[in-house]
Amino acid sequence: MNTSLVKADNYSLFTFGSTSHALKAETVLKELGAEFLIMPTLREISASCGLSVKIFPENAEPYYDMLTNHNVAVQSVYHVQKINRKNNVEKVM
């Protein structure tokens, strides 16, 4: 596990419509050797599923493409920046 991703204050999140989509995303990303974390969806984000995929912002587009190419339905993509313990969340896709 990459501890810099765990501690990152600037990251992207993929959200999913169901837990099964989130778990499929985890499987696909692991098989492809992607750098990511599964985490609870932030309270600031309204999503159907309680699980999200946390990634570095520069990987958002290529990982999104990987997932869609493997028929994983990503609900939304967010950019998150933690400032003074508060999450600034912006929907980017």
Side-chain angles (χ1 to χ4, degrees):
M1 178 186 307
N2 185 331
T3 56
S4 62
L5 185 55
V6 171
K7 296 178 182 182
D9 288 337
N10 182 27
Y11 56 92
S12 292
L13 278 181
F14 292 159
T15 61
F16 305 92
S18 71
T19 301
S20 63
H21 288 137
L23 296 175
K24 185 175 180 185
E26 179 182 26
T27 300
V28 168
L29 291 172
K30 276 183 183 177
E31 288 173 358
L32 297 172
E35 189 172 17
F36 71 97
L37 294 172
I38 295 290
M39 64 175 275
T41 301
L42 297 175
R43 283 186 237 158
E44 295 88 349
I45 298 173
S46 175
S48 300
C49 173
L51 296 176
S52 297
V53 170
K54 180 179 182 178
I55 58 172
F56 289 115
E58 60 270 16
N59 294 330
E61 191 172 333
Y63 288 8
Y64 180 86
D65 291 342
M66 286 179 197
L67 291 174
T68 57
N69 289 338
H70 284 83
N71 299 315
V72 178
V74 177
Q75 185 177 46
S76 299
V77 180
Y78 294 88
H79 179 254
V80 180
Q81 189 167 18
K82 189 175 280 192
I83 302 171
N84 297 326
R85 295 186 180 195
K86 291 192 177 197
N87 292 318
N88 180 22
V89 179
E90 178 185 353
K91 187 173 183 178
V92 293
M93 281 195 220

